[in-house]
């Protein structure tokens, strides 16, 4: 139905927030979160003298800028910073290792400030506990028979203690928020076998196949797509802007075939299929570890809301079990999710990223696993084996890389990339990643499990009186790309092109394309 004259159209404005989408983002450095207005920690007059370090710290480049607007926001009760279950004790005990990890990852996280804030927090918590004890002691003295003058003195003393306690508790909230903001920028620790250095330091784990030997002048996927009437970039640019595209004719069937074939293959390995929401709350995006990376913005946020367009199904799948305790018997949980993905791809330009290689919207099939901590390394190997098997069945020539420290996103403990040969582009191009994020995401998302056979001390709370339950532990999470559709189309068009201008469809995909074996030039 058409729009009538005078119809009001409500528009959704999209802004960009920085992120570290694991599949196509270049190596970048973690910095401060810019999407959300960060409340500045402002201590009360009566307690500021006890924390002069905090005033100095928050005036440094490593922390939020203090301005009148942000100060007012704190005073008017801005929602406190969400809390990740960060192991601060481990950070203190392994300070040298954490510092070395930050250096190897080129991270700008301020470890010294985190430790200083944490130590001050412990001091303030002790002071609050002592003050509460004094107040309770005064309250206990008033329960019995007390002389009027003594009662009045105790009332005044209790009132003074209450006022001091209110001030200290406010300072405790602000200090806790400051600590969380700083500590959440510390990336995951790194597997000891990961090579140190930038992307060029990544090592080749495996090479599969050899490049196609063409006896004719080859074309890239942009030219092939145009000649076979498969892709229209020009019309999409007029409708949506650059880096958008229309798929046409057999290319539409090819996309559907890739999705359905990939889902069917991965489901054979025990994965549960999902389709996901394609808008997520900004909080979930943060908790999955997609923090800012300088000016390299990747995420579209919806202006005037706390929502974002997802850049990967990893985000909504990671959020399914947020703030829950899973049964040990339910692990591992293995999901394979189809979604559309949206990325700003800021700064991406040039011949190396032309055509379908780097776009703002695309379809993707993503694998995601939640497992016990001792199993995550084994499942990481399983994920990369699944990817290698899929691409081998499609007849692609590719290499598997163990990515160096400088190329790891904040959540990744270890990451394997697969780069396939794209003859038309004349280079290898990344088509997949597989990351082990250990407990980095689960500590932020609040995903735990209760071991059935554990040596950890049992919990015996009032709620579970009489039941000796093991203490819950954080699960490990892993993610891997099974099929990023546009780049797979690039690979198939360029590697299966024929001298007569046609493109052969790999055999595994033919049943999912209604039996089409070859895409041939259209007749005039």
């Amino acid at each position: 139905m058409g729009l009538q004259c005078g119809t009001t159209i409500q528009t959704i404005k999209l802004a960009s927030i920085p992120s570290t989408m694991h599949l196509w983002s270049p190596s970048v450095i973690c910095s401060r979160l810019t999407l959300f207005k960060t409340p500045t920690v402002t201590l009360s007059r009566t307690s500021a003298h006890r924390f002069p370090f905090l005033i100095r710290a928050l005036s440094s480049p490593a922390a939020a800028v203090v301005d009148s607007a942000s100060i007012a926001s704190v005073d008017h009760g801005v929602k406190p910073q969400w809390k990740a279950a960060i192991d601060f004790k481990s950070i203190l005990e392994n300070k040298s290792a954490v510092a070395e990890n930050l250096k190897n990852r080129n991270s700008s996280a301020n470890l010294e400030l985190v430790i200083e804030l944490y130590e001050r927090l412990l001091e303030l918590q002790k002071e609050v506990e002592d003050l509460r004890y004094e107040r309770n002691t005064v309250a206990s003295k008033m329960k019995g028979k007390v002389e009027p003058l003594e009662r009045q003195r105790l009332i005044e003393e209790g009132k003074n203690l209450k006022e001091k306690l209110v001030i200290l508790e406010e300072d405790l909230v602000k200090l806790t928020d400051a600590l969380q903001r700083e500590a959440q920028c510390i990336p995951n620790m790194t597997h000891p076998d990961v090579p140190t250095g930038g992307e060029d330091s990544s090592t080749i784990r495996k090479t599969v196949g050899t490049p196609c030997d063409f006896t004719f002048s080859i074309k890239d996927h942009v030219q092939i797509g145009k000649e076979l009437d498969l892709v229209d970039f020009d019309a999409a640019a007029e409708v949506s802007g650059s880096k958008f595209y229309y798929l046409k004719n057999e290319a539409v069937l090819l996309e559907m075939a890739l999705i359905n074939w990939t889902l069917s293959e991965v489901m054979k390995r025990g994965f549960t299929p999902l389709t996901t929401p394609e808008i997520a709350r900004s909080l979930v995006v943060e908790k999955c570890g997609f923090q800012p990376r300088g000016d390299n913005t990747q995420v579209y946020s919806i202006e005037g809301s706390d929502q974002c367009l997802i850049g990967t199904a990893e985000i909504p799948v990671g959020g399914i079990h947020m703030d829950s305790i899973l049964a040990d018997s339910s692990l591992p949980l293995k999901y394979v999710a189809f979604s559309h993905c949206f990325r700003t791809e800021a700064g991406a330009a040039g011949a190396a990223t032309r055509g379908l290689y780097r776009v703002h919207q695309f379809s993707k099939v993503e694998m995601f696993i939640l497992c016990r901590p001792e199993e995550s390394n084994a499942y990481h190997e399983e994920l990369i084996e699944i990817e290698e098997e899929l691409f081998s069945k499609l007849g692609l020539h590719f290499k598997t890389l163990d990515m160096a420290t400088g190329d790891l996103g904040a959540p990744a403990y270890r990451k394997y990339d697969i780069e396939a040969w794209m003859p038309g582009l004349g280079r290898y191009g990344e088509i997949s990643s597989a990351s082990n994020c250990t407990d980095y995401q689960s500590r932020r998302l609040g995903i735990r499990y209760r071991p059935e056979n554990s040596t950890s001390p049992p919990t015996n709370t009032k709620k579970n009186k009489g039941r000796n339950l093991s203490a819950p532990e954080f699960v490990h999470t892993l993610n891997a790309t099974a099929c990023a559709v546009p780049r797979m189309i690039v690979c198939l068009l360029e590697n299966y092109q024929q001298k007569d201008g046609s493109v052969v469809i790999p055999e595994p995909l033919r049943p999912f394309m209604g039996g089409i074996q070859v895409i041939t030039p259209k007749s005039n």
Side-chain angles (χ1 to χ4, degrees):
M1 187 164 100
L3 290 173
Q4 302 300 316
C5 229
T7 300
T8 301
I9 303 176
Q10 183 177 359
T11 61
I12 298 177
K13 296 182 180 179
L14 295 178
S16 299
I17 64 171
S19 177
T20 60
M21 293 307 176
H22 73 281
L23 178 55
W24 297 341
S25 57
S27 178
V28 281
I29 299 175
C30 179
S31 64
R32 200 60 63 244
L33 204 60
T34 56
L35 170 65
F36 309 98
K37 188 172 185 65
T38 306
T40 303
V41 175
T42 56
L43 298 180
S44 57
R45 294 178 182 175
T46 58
S47 57
H49 70 279
R50 296 184 293 108
F51 299 101
F53 82 94
L54 195 54
I55 297 172
R56 293 196 304 274
L58 293 179
S59 64
S60 70
V65 177
V66 179
D67 57 33
S68 58
S70 58
I71 291 174
S73 69
V74 172
D75 293 339
H76 286 83
V78 166
K79 184 179 180 181
Q81 171 74 18
W82 61 273
K83 294 177 179 60
I86 296 171
D87 191 346
F88 291 105
K89 183 179 179 182
S90 177
I91 291 175
L92 284 173
E93 293 175 348
N94 301 280
K95 179 180 175 182
S96 297
V98 175
E100 183 68 18
N101 187 54
L102 294 178
K103 178 183 176 183
N104 291 340
R105 285 176 174 253
N106 297 322
S107 172
S108 63
N110 192 333
L111 177 60
E112 293 298 330
L113 179 56
V114 169
I115 292 175
E116 192 171 8
L117 289 171
Y118 179 62
E119 290 175 342
R120 294 296 184 179
L121 180 68
L122 295 179
E123 292 178 12
L124 186 55
Q125 285 175 336
K126 179 65 167 56
E127 190 169 347
V128 168
E129 289 172 4
D130 291 345
L131 207 56
R132 286 172 179 166
Y133 178 79
E134 288 183 44
R135 186 184 174 197
N136 291 337
T137 301
V138 170
S140 296
K141 290 179 180 179
M142 294 178 63
K143 290 180 179 179
K145 188 176 181 180
V146 183
E147 294 294 329
L149 289 177
E150 177 63 11
R151 180 175 292 277
Q152 186 59 37
R153 188 190 69 78
L154 290 173
I155 289 173
E156 289 297 323
E157 184 180 356
K159 182 180 179 182
N160 291 335
L161 289 172
K162 180 180 178 181
E163 291 175 352
K164 290 179 181 179
L165 189 59
V166 168
I167 292 172
L168 289 183
E169 286 174 340
E170 289 178 353
D171 292 344
L172 187 62
V173 170
K174 294 171 184 176
L175 186 55
T176 301
D177 285 357
L179 174 61
Q180 280 287 325
R181 285 194 299 274
E182 293 297 332
Q184 286 171 20
C185 279
I186 295 178
N188 200 353
M189 294 302 287
T190 306
H191 190 287
D193 293 340
V194 169
T196 301
E199 185 177 358
D200 293 342
S201 300
S202 302
T203 58
I204 298 176
R205 280 171 45 97
K206 186 176 185 179
T207 300
V208 175
T210 57
C212 296
D213 185 16
F214 294 99
T215 59
F216 54 90
S217 179
I218 60 175
K219 307 167 187 174
D220 68 10
H221 72 280
V222 177
Q223 185 177 356
I224 296 171
K226 184 176 181 179
E227 292 179 358
L228 294 180
D229 197 23
L230 300 176
V231 190
D232 192 333
F233 295 103
D234 295 334
E238 291 294 325
V239 171
S240 304
S242 63
K243 296 190 180 298
F244 287 93
Y245 59 94
Y246 286 99
L247 291 183
K248 302 170 64 179
N249 299 312
E250 293 92 342
V252 176
L253 301 180
L254 183 57
E255 173 171 27
M256 302 302 174
L258 282 166
I259 293 167
N260 287 308
W261 174 74
T262 302
L263 285 172
S264 65
E265 289 293 307
V266 177
M267 286 169 61
K268 293 175 185 177
R269 305 289 291 259
F271 285 72
T272 300
L274 296 174
T275 59
T276 75
E278 292 171 0
I279 291 179
R281 295 186 186 279
S282 304
L283 186 65
V284 179
V285 177
E286 279 188 87
K287 288 184 176 183
C288 285
F290 295 104
Q291 297 177 344
R293 292 282 180 131
D295 295 326
N296 183 52
T297 58
Q298 288 278 42
V299 178
Y300 287 110
S301 64
I302 302 175
E303 191 173 73
S305 79
D306 68 340
Q307 296 171 313
C308 304
L309 302 183
I310 65 167
T312 170
E314 173 189 347
I315 295 168
V317 177
I320 289 178
H321 300 289
M322 186 167 59
D323 300 323
S324 62
I325 298 178
L326 306 173
D328 192 354
S329 59
S330 71
L331 297 178
L333 289 171
K334 303 163 78 172
Y335 295 110
V336 55
F338 166 75
S339 74
H340 295 100
C341 304
F342 306 86
R343 303 184 185 181
T344 67
E345 297 296 359
T353 60
R354 70 190 298 252
L356 292 172
Y357 189 81
R358 198 178 293 279
V359 291
H360 291 312
Q361 176 184 337
F362 57 96
S363 301
K364 182 159 72 80
V365 179
E366 182 82 359
M367 296 179 287
F368 194 92
I369 295 178
L370 301 96
C371 68
R372 302 173 189 87
E374 65 273 15
E375 298 172 339
S376 64
N377 285 329
Y379 282 120
H380 195 201
E381 294 300 320
E382 179 180 330
L383 286 173
I384 195 66
E385 287 172 6
I386 292 173
E387 291 178 333
E388 291 171 345
E389 181 181 329
L390 290 172
F391 305 141
S392 295
K393 286 183 176 180
L394 292 177
L396 300 181
H397 163 50
F398 60 87
K399 56 184 180 180
T400 304
L401 304 173
D402 192 351
M403 302 308 292
T405 55
D407 194 66
L408 298 181
Y413 174 66
R414 192 176 196 177
K415 179 167 77 90
Y416 300 140
D417 278 5
I418 292 182
E419 296 183 352
W421 178 246
M422 301 177 179
L425 296 180
R427 63 182 180 85
Y428 289 93
E430 182 187 342
I431 59 171
S432 179
S433 286
S435 298
N436 182 0
C437 298
T438 62
D439 62 354
Y440 185 92
Q441 292 176 323
S442 60
R443 284 181 173 274
R444 287 153 173 75
L445 291 163
I447 309 175
R448 297 177 293 169
Y449 79 106
R450 197 180 298 279
E452 291 179 355
N453 299 309
S454 173
T455 56
S456 60
T459 59
N460 192 13
T461 62
K462 183 180 291 187
K463 186 176 181 181
N464 298 312
K465 191 173 181 180
R467 299 168 59 195
N468 288 325
L469 299 176
S470 300
E473 299 177 16
F474 289 100
V475 301
H476 279 197
T477 63
L478 305 96
N479 63 82
T481 305
C483 180
V485 171
R487 293 194 182 180
M488 292 305 298
I489 291 178
V490 171
C491 289
L492 297 181
L493 293 183
E494 294 189 359
N495 281 284
Y496 282 94
Q497 60 181 299
Q498 306 297 307
K499 186 175 182 179
D500 63 359
S502 64
V503 173
V504 174
I505 301 298
E507 287 190 16
L509 300 179
R510 293 175 186 175
F512 297 88
M513 292 192 63
I516 295 176
Q517 300 184 26
V518 181
I519 302 174
T520 57
K522 306 297 182 291
S523 170
N524 290 333

